[in-house]
Amino acid sequence: MGAAMLVCQTLDNTTTEEVLRIGPVAATAEQMQTDALLPLIGWLLVGGGEC
């Protein structure tokens, strides 16, 4: 798991929310967020797996 965190340094997340609804018609908006993973946590997980 630590090696995966070192390879994938960011995590992409897409959320969809309803913005407007008029009768049977609805408008939605998608928002894409990028979260950074800490490489330090990845190294700690790799080091912990060695013990």
Side-chain angles (χ1 to χ4, degrees):
M1 186 147 179
M5 285 185 71
L6 291 174
V7 172
C8 302
Q9 301 246 336
T10 60
L11 181 65
D12 294 330
N13 185 20
T14 303
T15 57
T16 304
E17 69 178 83
E18 189 174 305
V19 179
L20 176 68
R21 177 178 284 281
I22 301 175
V25 179
T28 59
E30 288 187 2
Q31 293 181 344
M32 188 169 188
Q33 299 172 339
T34 302
D35 298 324
L37 300 174
L38 294 175
L40 178 61
I41 295 173
W43 283 113
L44 289 174
L45 288 173
V46 168
E50 295 288 326
C51 295

